[in-house]
Amino acid sequence: MIPLLSIGLLSIGVVARADQSLQRESKWDALSSDQMSTVLRSSLDEYGAGPSLIDQATEKFQGDLQTQSRDAIDAFVTAVASLTDSVEQLVALAEKDPVAAAVSIDPSAAEYAEIESLPKPIRMTVRTWLGRRLVRQRLYDEAMPVIAEVDPVASIDPASSLFYRGACYHALLMKKEALADLRLLLENEEDSPERFARLAKLMIADIKPLKEDSLDEISRLMTDVSRRLDLGRSGEKVEGQEQKIIDKLSKLIDKLEEQQQQQQQQQQSGGSGQGSSGGAQASPMQDSQIAGGSGAGNVDKKEQETDDKWGNLPPAERKEALQKISRDLPTHYRDAIEAYFRKRATDG
């Protein structure tokens, strides 16, 4: 019989090895050019291409990498496009209109089934290629559905998949998702391009302290609206973002008004018991000691106002609150703040 202790140690060892296996699976590895060529060959074989065509596509892929120093993702997509009509059409459309290309692989599009029927490494790499193109043009909303479902490990360039998706999440203020991708990228920093690693660290440091309903978040939302307007976007999405800014400003200004109202009440309450008879100004005691005096120690109870003035500051104080809110923001963001006041005036 095997001793119980041995069984216990064996079980612990199995669990430990399983945990280590999961940890290894969670990390990614960069592929060499030979490994990329192997993935290309196996993917085209799964697609059903003939051996001679696979040889030609692989030879071109290797030549693009070695002689022309071409980007691996571009070279891979070009090689695949030469043998697959759906990828060839997608590439041609992306050259003319990247947004239309993104729409064409949406689940509601007729072309979606053709792309999704391709072998997984081709799908993941093509989506990374198109998502990267959109991110570089600041088309983050269009890039997100393209790149969100990418399995980085199945792509021939996991670092690019993680970096550009993380950058897209960062731009759209999706903090949790951005941190997950960027941290996973840095788990294998030695295999990441140096520019990816450096920018990933900067993006993590930038978005990690972001808090909901903060002035920082409002400023970023305003930047995002400016980006959308620069790109000619003015639909419901932009209007929704603008309304979100107004709502968050409303919440922030109401909080500031409440704080100022409380300070005023505290000052009034503290000032009601000060002063001395005859109007003489009291001077502080020179040393710490028990103060003398013949008073009974009673103070008049302050009557609190009962009318509803909470949050309704006078115009001058409201203007001061506005200045405190907007002084840390670029000048052109004040339009959104002014829109808040117009909305308040209309609602009121």
Side-chain angles (χ1 to χ4, degrees):
M1 293 181 62
I2 302 177
L4 292 178
L5 179 59
S6 298
I7 295 176
L9 292 175
L10 180 62
S11 300
I12 293 173
V14 170
V15 172
R17 285 194 296 273
D19 289 342
Q20 292 173 359
S21 176
L22 289 174
Q23 290 175 0
R24 285 196 298 270
E25 290 176 0
S26 68
K27 293 190 67 174
W28 57 272
D29 294 308
L31 301 183
S32 65
S33 59
D34 290 339
Q35 289 173 323
M36 291 179 186
S37 296
T38 300
V39 172
L40 176 62
R41 294 187 66 89
S42 62
S43 298
L44 291 175
D45 181 62
E46 181 183 346
Y47 176 70
S52 61
L53 294 176
I54 293 176
D55 289 341
Q56 293 175 13
T58 304
E59 183 178 351
K60 176 173 175 51
F61 172 71
Q62 291 175 335
D64 286 344
L65 290 182
Q66 295 172 5
T67 61
Q68 299 184 24
S69 300
R70 195 175 183 187
D71 174 81
I73 293 180
D74 286 339
F76 186 94
V77 171
T78 299
V80 171
S82 66
L83 299 180
T84 58
D85 292 339
S86 57
V87 175
E88 182 181 21
Q89 293 169 4
L90 181 67
V91 170
L93 182 58
E95 294 292 339
K96 298 178 181 178
D97 188 350
V99 175
V103 173
S104 73
I105 58 174
D106 185 83
S108 61
E111 300 86 350
Y112 175 77
E114 296 181 10
I115 294 294
E116 287 303 299
S117 65
L118 296 172
K120 188 175 181 179
I122 294 179
R123 296 198 319 269
M124 299 302 103
T125 304
V126 168
R127 283 185 171 272
T128 298
W129 172 81
L130 181 55
R132 179 181 69 176
R133 191 183 191 93
L134 293 163
V135 168
R136 285 174 172 175
Q137 297 183 39
R138 300 193 302 158
L139 297 168
Y140 305 117
D141 296 288
E142 293 80 3
M144 183 51 58
V146 172
I147 203 171
E149 300 302 321
V150 169
D151 179 2
V153 178
S155 166
I156 65 155
D157 189 351
S160 289
S161 299
L162 289 168
F163 176 79
Y164 284 101
R165 188 170 64 185
C168 189
Y169 285 137
H170 175 272
L172 294 176
L173 304 185
M174 301 173 68
K175 177 179 175 179
K176 181 179 178 181
E177 293 83 358
L179 290 175
D181 271 354
L182 297 173
R183 285 169 173 167
L184 183 56
L185 172 69
L186 294 175
E187 281 187 12
N188 199 1
E189 184 176 347
E190 63 275 10
D191 281 343
S192 302
E194 185 177 356
R195 67 184 187 280
F196 283 3
R198 289 186 176 182
L199 289 173
K201 292 176 182 178
L202 290 174
M203 285 190 283
I204 289 174
D206 177 67
I207 202 169
K208 187 177 179 180
L210 180 65
K211 295 182 179 179
E212 188 176 0
D213 295 332
S214 64
L215 188 59
D216 182 25
E217 184 193 37
I218 294 172
S219 176
R220 291 169 190 252
L221 287 171
M222 290 177 172
T223 300
D224 185 59
V225 168
S226 296
R227 173 188 66 84
R228 295 171 192 270
L229 294 175
D230 289 342
L231 294 170
R233 306 289 190 266
S234 58
E236 294 183 359
K237 183 70 175 180
V238 173
E239 293 176 358
Q241 289 293 88
E242 290 174 338
Q243 185 59 51
K244 183 186 293 186
I245 292 170
I246 291 174
D247 292 341
K248 288 181 179 293
L249 277 172
S250 174
K251 187 175 182 179
L252 190 60
I253 293 176
D254 285 345
K255 182 178 180 180
L256 182 59
E257 288 180 345
E258 179 178 333
Q259 291 174 349
Q260 290 188 339
Q261 192 77 10
Q262 289 176 337
Q263 291 176 357
Q264 290 177 355
Q265 291 181 348
Q266 291 174 356
Q267 291 172 357
Q268 292 173 359
S269 177
S272 63
Q274 294 178 356
S276 59
S277 58
Q281 182 177 359
S283 59
M285 300 186 69
Q286 299 298 322
D287 299 306
S288 298
Q289 56 181 304
I290 300 176
S294 57
N298 298 325
V299 297
D300 295 333
K301 181 178 179 181
K302 178 175 175 58
E303 296 295 334
Q304 301 292 335
E305 297 180 355
T306 57
D307 54 334
D308 185 14
K309 294 183 179 179
W310 191 257
N312 295 323
L313 291 178
E317 295 181 12
R318 179 179 290 275
K319 182 177 180 180
E320 181 183 357
L322 171 60
Q323 291 174 346
K324 289 183 178 180
I325 287 289
S326 61
R327 66 186 177 189
D328 295 326
L329 298 176
T331 304
H332 59 281
Y333 290 156
R334 296 188 181 182
D335 291 342
I337 300 178
E338 292 174 359
Y340 157 76
F341 284 108
R342 288 196 297 269
K343 184 176 185 299
R344 284 289 293 266
T346 302
D347 294 344

